[in-house]
Amino acid sequence: MLVNSEQIISALIETVQMVAFSLLFSTILGLPLGILLVVTRKGHLLQNLPVFNVLNGIVNIFRSVPFIILLVAMIPVTRLIVGTSIGTAAAVVPLVFYAGPYIARLIENSLLEVDPGVIEAAEAMGATPWQIISKFLIPEALSSLVLALTIATIGLVGASAMAGAVGGGGIGDLAITYGYQRFDTVTMMITVGILIVIVQGLQSFGNIAAKKIRRR
Amino acid sequence: MIEFQNLKKVYESGGQQVAALNGIDLKINKGEIFGVIGFSGAGKSSLIRCVNLLERPTSGSVIVDGHDLTSMSVKEVRGIKKNIGMVFQHFNLLNSKTVFANVAMPLTLAKVSKDAIKKRVQELLEFVGLADKADYYPDQLSGGQKQRIGIARALATQPSILLCDEATSALDPQTTSSILQLLKKINKEYNITILIITHEMAVIREICDRVAVIESGKIIEEGTVFNVFSSPKTETAKNFVSSVMNDQIPDSIKNIIQKHDGMQKVYRINFVGSTAGQPLLSELAKQFEIHINVLFGTITELQGTPFGNLIVEFQGSDKEIIRALTYINQKKISIKEVTAHAS
């Protein structure tokens, strides 16, 4: 084995950091975007087709670019925001631009599942658009939103492996540079094993949380 | 009070214009239970949704308690909505919230204090008979219980108007009846004006004071429930009335009439109110040389007044029968001859 346990632990920490920060920022970006994609569409709360069409187009553009290309293409933006294009912090920027639009779509889907009758009842009560979003739409979709964020987090774990290409580090990077490029089968097995445990853990956590919210 | 003035609603659908409401003029008085009945697609749903501007009319006015909603700002309308409760066919409760939180919602939106909310919700749950279900979630309740919660929620802000959009259409007959009794109680105890939209004539008969029949976006008949039920004028109204009044002559009776056609006289007699209390048939049998054979009959109650419908056969000489008919007419009781082909 070409790596020691210290390397694995620090790689694990890097992965956790990358995923946690990019999840945080991409949710901050994706949640309002997802809400806007719902409420500005035709016949909805704040129907505004120009806004909807522009946002919809932007999300589609970001969702079409393969992550590895986005990673390189975003380098100037990364430099502008983080000051450098190398390292764990630098990897977070492309991850956010990758996961943000993805989360927006997932959130849009969850919110669209809310019974239109509930929104109608809210309107009949004289709720403001903001009250309808915060007190009706989001609480009704919460369990489905948690599952959506679980999917997004697992997607980020996968994408963070590729972030090794910009020196982001992390478990995935270890798997690629040692396991794949240097044919170190043991490192490959260990790193992939760790990733499996992480993904399993995240999915189980998400399922339990969603179930608890749904209270059935 | 709710008033519609020349209300029109036109939808754009695939480049075609579809008129859901085609000039509605209707006045619903304060404190009454008013029913609007129509087949699906007649425009009744659009009509009720115009009262709280869930749908904006294309033209015309909606006047609620003296305010013309169509000329008010969005913000002003939101204020007025606190005075208009609404109950839905599919309840539209928040499944993620407890019964308590659901009923409290309109008060939370109005930023009422927590203590006041608690007191009011408790009161409402007791009123609808579900005080023990405060911590339940809607999916743990039956349809009838869900609708009671929907009603409690609609009453939270002490509205003066309650809109019921097919409120009992998703419920079984027994539950329907208990929900209707609850609505009646609300109307009596709080003097709340209730507007009910339905396709079930039984609902109208059970609790409404007045009724309007809507067809193709127009009101085609309007009047007290008693008048519309006892003498419907339009074909649609007649259809609705016969759906609950059971005044159609059954086929077996029709066969009898057909067999003897020409040999005997069959009549339909309608008793209304106090005339239902008179022993008419025995008087006829005593005073005239005729035999009376009752073929079919129903007696129901409409708004507390008895309403009877009898199909009888008179046997006797033409002269005696004519005398008997004159006697009945003098009593101002409605009688019509039934032929084999009529209903």
Side-chain angles (χ1 to χ4, degrees), chain B residues 245-316:
Chain B
M245 292 299 279
N246 197 22
D247 61 352
Q248 299 282 8
I249 302 167
D251 285 343
S252 55
I253 305 290
K254 269 189 192 166
N255 285 340
I256 296 174
I257 300 172
Q258 221 149 15
K259 261 182 220 156
H260 304 273
D261 205 15
M263 310 273 294
Q264 38 146 216
K265 301 272 186 189
V266 178
Y267 298 93
R268 176 196 291 275
I269 303 176
N270 281 336
F271 300 95
V272 169
S274 59
T275 59
Q278 295 173 13
L280 178 75
L281 297 185
S282 74
E283 278 174 22
L284 289 175
K286 270 189 185 160
Q287 294 191 24
F288 308 100
E289 283 290 308
I290 57 171
H291 290 288
I292 299 162
N293 181 17
V294 177
L295 296 173
F296 180 71
T298 50
I299 294 172
T300 41
E301 197 192 50
L302 284 176
Q303 290 185 303
T305 309
F307 178 73
N309 175 48
L310 281 188
I311 306 294
V312 296
E313 177 191 342
F314 289 167
Q315 295 168 347

Side-chain angles (χ1 to χ4, degrees), chain B residues 199-258:
Chain B
H199 64 269
E200 296 170 309
M201 206 58 175
V203 169
I204 304 277
R205 182 179 64 182
E206 203 150 329
I207 63 166
C208 290
D209 299 314
R210 287 200 301 145
V211 58
V213 181
I214 188 169
E215 194 171 60
S216 311
K218 273 184 158 356
I219 301 289
I220 54 166
E221 192 162 343
E222 187 198 337
T224 64
V225 166
F226 192 87
N227 284 343
V228 172
F229 271 77
S230 54
S231 49
K233 289 174 192 70
T234 57
E235 225 17 72
T236 307
K238 279 178 193 164
N239 274 336
F240 276 122
V241 169
S242 65
S243 71
V244 289
M245 292 299 279
N246 197 22
D247 61 352
Q248 299 282 8
I249 302 167
D251 285 343
S252 55
I253 305 290
K254 269 189 192 166
N255 285 340
I256 296 174
I257 300 172
Q258 221 149 15

Side-chain angles (χ1 to χ4, degrees), chain B residues 160-197:
Chain B
S160 65
I161 292 169
L162 184 64
L163 306 175
C164 300
D165 187 5
E166 297 275 8
T168 57
S169 300
L171 305 173
D172 62 64
Q174 223 170 355
T175 315
T176 293
S177 177
S178 80
I179 292 292
L180 293 179
Q181 290 318 308
L182 179 63
L183 291 175
K184 214 171 192 171
K185 185 171 141 193
I186 290 164
N187 173 256
K188 284 237 168 68
E189 288 188 21
Y190 300 133
N191 194 32
I192 291 177
T193 311
I194 300 182
L195 174 60
I196 292 177
I197 294 295

Side-chain angles (χ1 to χ4, degrees), chain B residues 3 12 48 73 90 99 140 147 170 180 182 203 207 216 223 242 267:
Chain B
E3 194 177 347
E12 198 91 35
I48 200 168
S73 72
H90 297 295
V99 162
Q140 297 170 299
Q147 196 57 293
L180 293 179
L182 179 63
V203 169
I207 63 166
S216 311
S242 65
Y267 298 93

Side-chain angles (χ1 to χ4, degrees), chain A residues 35-196:
Chain A
I35 292 170
L36 280 175
L37 280 172
V38 171
V39 296
T40 58
R41 67 177 49 217
K42 195 165 188 275
H44 220 286
L45 229 50
L46 299 167
Q47 177 179 325
N48 189 329
L49 294 184
V51 170
F52 174 78
N53 288 330
V54 168
L55 292 181
N56 196 39
I58 291 174
V59 167
N60 278 345
I61 289 168
F62 274 94
R63 300 258 300 121
S64 353
V65 181
F67 180 58
I68 197 82
I69 294 169
L70 192 67
L71 204 57
V72 179
M74 292 302 290
I75 286 177
V77 182
T78 309
R79 265 207 201 104
L80 205 70
I81 297 172
V82 193
T84 170
S85 63
I86 298 169
T88 310
V92 169
V93 177
L95 281 173
V96 168
F97 278 92
Y98 166 72
Y102 182 40
I103 288 179
R105 274 283 178 249
L106 290 170
I107 285 176
E108 179 193 16
N109 269 332
S110 295
L111 295 181
L112 284 177
E113 275 168 31
V114 173
D115 177 9
V118 168
I119 299 166
E120 192 167 76
E123 284 183 325
M125 284 178 213
T128 62
W130 173 244
Q131 284 175 325
I132 295 178
I133 292 167
S134 64
K135 292 198 188 301
F136 293 81
L137 266 183
I138 293 179
E140 279 297 274
L142 198 57
S143 140
S144 154
L145 286 175
V146 166
L147 286 177
L149 285 181
T150 305
I151 294 173
T153 312
I154 290 169
L156 275 172
V157 172
S160 75
M162 281 186 266
V166 290
I171 293 285
D173 181 40
L174 219 56
I176 293 169
T177 48
Y178 289 90
Y180 178 69
Q181 286 166 345
R182 293 199 196 173
F183 306 107
D184 180 357
T185 315
V186 180
T187 303
M188 178 75 99
M189 304 270 267
I190 291 173
T191 49
V192 171
I194 291 173
L195 287 173
I196 290 173

